[in-house]
Amino acid sequence: MVNNDLSEIDDELFEHHRFEVPKGQAMLRIDKYLMHLIPNATRNKIQNAATSGDIYVNDVTVKSNYKVKPFDVIRILLSHPPFENRIDPEDIPLDIVYEDDALLVINKPAGLVVHPGHGNYTGTLVNGLAFHFDNLPLNSSERPGLVHRIDKNTSGLLVIAKTEAAMTHLAKQFEDKTTEREYIAIVWGNVKDDEGTIVGNIDRHLKDRMQMAVFPEGDRGKHAVTHYKVIERLGYVTLVSCKLETGRTHQIRVHMKYIGHTLFNDERYGGNLILKGTTFTKYKQFIENCFKTLPRQALHAKTLGFEHPVTKEYMRFDTEIPQDMVDCIEKWRNYTNSNSLVEEED
């Protein structure tokens, strides 16, 4: 039994099983309960899954001695998608910025999932790649052509490998941190410093497994570094450039929240709430209009640079900021110009 009702792939957790405990169920250890519901599951395997934090009851991880109750919602979330090797070619338009025999660079629109999972087994970038290109090399996760990834609701540049040699060479550049990756973001609040560097290990959030979190002491997670620079101050929000030194899941989103500047309209991290500004009804309506204009997190992968795996030439690609972000920025410019006495941030 596999039900996948989660809406995004960008969290790197995939729902393999979902069960709703029926009315009248007697209290029973969850490892015993699941043994009778999951085909070929042993009690030992279920206990190991619980120890690894893969079993959730009502969106909270539980141990194998948890006793199920009527109406509990049990889910098994793993780091790999079910049916992960199945990729059906689909005629999905690709915005190809550059292409040669070794690689191509794509400008991904917001809303396009990069690879199958979480119920998105069709309509992804990988499905489109499989239609337009034959025999793309597989990466370590068995995903054809992918060297790196960006979140579903982030727009911008991706490099795709067309040969095994290109895959190996490009992957090493990302591992060695020699690529150039610049993102443009709108964040809540007036960023105090004109530029700065955020350093903090990133790992899965301890309580909300659909989020990532920063662990500044370095005892958990993977080392992560983001360099930011203010482009324009717009009162209650700031337009910033973020350059990645490392590339962790949700890195910019979680790093900017960590320093108090959540991405504008980033629902996963609370940016879809009014985090800065006044209590006036007119202001609330303005924010709602901004959210409608930009119905996603305000993040765009604008610049991508790397060494070509064959010619060894350094290649640098740059894209325009997408129209939804441009329109939102213009709304904020007009608002701040007409409300010159914007309150100072704390």
Side-chain angles (χ1 to χ4, degrees):
M1 175 180 178
V2 179
N3 291 316
N4 299 281
D5 63 351
L6 301 181
S7 62
E8 290 192 86
I9 189 170
D10 57 0
D11 306 292
E12 292 299 336
L13 282 179
F14 306 91
E15 184 172 281
H16 284 234
H17 300 281
R18 178 189 181 94
F19 305 102
E20 294 187 18
V21 180
K23 179 181 179 180
Q25 170 66 47
M27 292 183 68
L28 181 69
R29 282 178 58 114
I30 197 167
D31 51 359
K32 290 185 177 180
Y33 183 78
L34 290 177
M35 274 180 61
H36 303 291
L37 294 177
I38 302 176
N40 303 316
T42 64
R43 189 172 181 183
N44 186 53
K45 284 183 178 179
I46 294 170
Q47 289 174 340
N48 288 339
T51 301
S52 300
D54 298 329
I55 300 179
Y56 296 74
V57 175
N58 306 325
D59 293 327
V60 177
T61 56
V62 298
K63 298 303 181 185
S64 55
N65 63 353
Y66 173 85
K67 292 187 177 180
V68 301
K69 303 182 296 297
F71 309 113
D72 276 349
V73 177
I74 303 170
R75 297 189 301 162
I76 313 296
L77 301 182
L78 302 175
S79 60
H80 61 86
F83 313 125
E84 59 184 342
N85 294 324
R86 177 178 173 177
I87 298 171
D88 297 322
E90 294 179 66
D91 188 4
I92 297 170
L94 302 177
D95 182 2
I96 298 176
V97 176
Y98 173 85
E99 181 182 359
D100 61 25
D101 291 340
L103 58 87
L104 63 144
V105 176
I106 289 175
N107 186 18
K108 185 189 83 69
L112 179 63
V113 175
V114 172
H115 54 73
H118 275 336
N120 295 301
Y121 297 113
T122 60
T124 76
L125 174 62
V126 164
N127 294 108
L129 289 172
F131 180 88
H132 293 286
F133 301 96
D134 294 326
N135 302 317
L136 289 176
L138 299 179
N139 65 12
S140 59
S141 300
E142 303 293 314
R143 291 162 181 160
L146 294 188
V147 180
H148 62 128
R149 57 186 295 281
I150 56 179
D151 296 336
K152 171 186 175 181
N153 287 320
T154 298
S155 54
L157 293 171
L158 284 168
V159 60
I160 307 296
K162 294 173 71 175
T163 68
E164 294 283 356
M167 174 73 75
T168 300
H169 194 283
L170 290 167
K172 189 171 190 329
Q173 291 184 60
F174 279 89
E175 182 181 352
D176 293 344
K177 307 178 184 65
T178 59
T179 59
E180 177 186 358
R181 285 172 288 170
E182 179 191 15
Y183 289 68
I184 302 299
I186 305 169
V187 301
W188 277 106
N190 184 15
V191 178
K192 180 180 178 182
D193 298 322
D194 289 339
E195 56 185 275
T197 297
I198 308 166
V199 180
N201 284 20
I202 291 177
D203 201 354
R204 191 70 55 185
H205 196 287
L206 294 178
K207 294 183 179 178
D208 185 350
R209 298 284 289 181
M210 305 312 292
Q211 289 188 17
M212 306 302 288
V214 175
F215 296 86
E217 302 303 320
D219 56 337
R220 289 181 60 94
K222 296 179 180 179
H223 178 65
V225 180
T226 304
H227 307 283
Y228 69 87
K229 188 173 185 177
V230 171
I231 299 174
E232 185 175 357
R233 300 181 186 278
L234 296 165
Y236 296 125
V237 300
T238 306
L239 184 65
V240 296
S241 161
C242 294
K243 290 189 175 181
L244 293 181
E245 187 172 311
T246 55
R248 309 305 180 196
T249 301
H250 295 188
Q251 179 170 319
I252 292 172
R253 299 166 70 184
V254 71
H255 263 179
M256 293 309 296
K257 179 175 182 176
Y258 175 65
I259 65 169
H261 297 288
T262 303
L263 265 63
F264 188 76
N265 208 12
D266 187 349
E267 182 177 0
R268 181 52 46 83
Y269 290 95
N272 61 327
L273 305 175
I274 299 177
L275 300 182
K276 298 290 181 180
T278 72
T279 57
F280 298 135
T281 302
K282 186 177 179 181
Y283 176 72
K284 292 179 181 178
Q285 185 59 56
F286 164 72
I287 297 299
E288 287 301 318
N289 288 336
C290 286
F291 287 162
K292 289 177 183 177
T293 299
L294 182 65
R296 59 161 178 123
Q297 68 251 19
L299 188 61
H300 175 66
K302 187 176 189 298
T303 304
L304 177 63
F306 53 86
E307 181 186 277
H308 192 281
V310 177
T311 67
K312 309 307 178 187
E313 172 190 0
Y314 185 80
M315 308 186 77
R316 187 176 187 273
F317 300 92
D318 192 77
T319 57
E320 297 293 328
I321 298 175
Q323 195 60 47
D324 57 357
M325 284 185 66
V326 170
D327 291 344
C328 186
I329 293 165
E330 191 58 34
K331 281 183 179 293
W332 274 103
R333 286 191 185 123
N334 292 335
Y335 182 85
T336 53
N337 288 338
S338 62
N339 296 271
S340 57
L341 298 177
V342 176
E343 300 172 7
E344 291 186 1
E345 297 298 331
D346 293 335

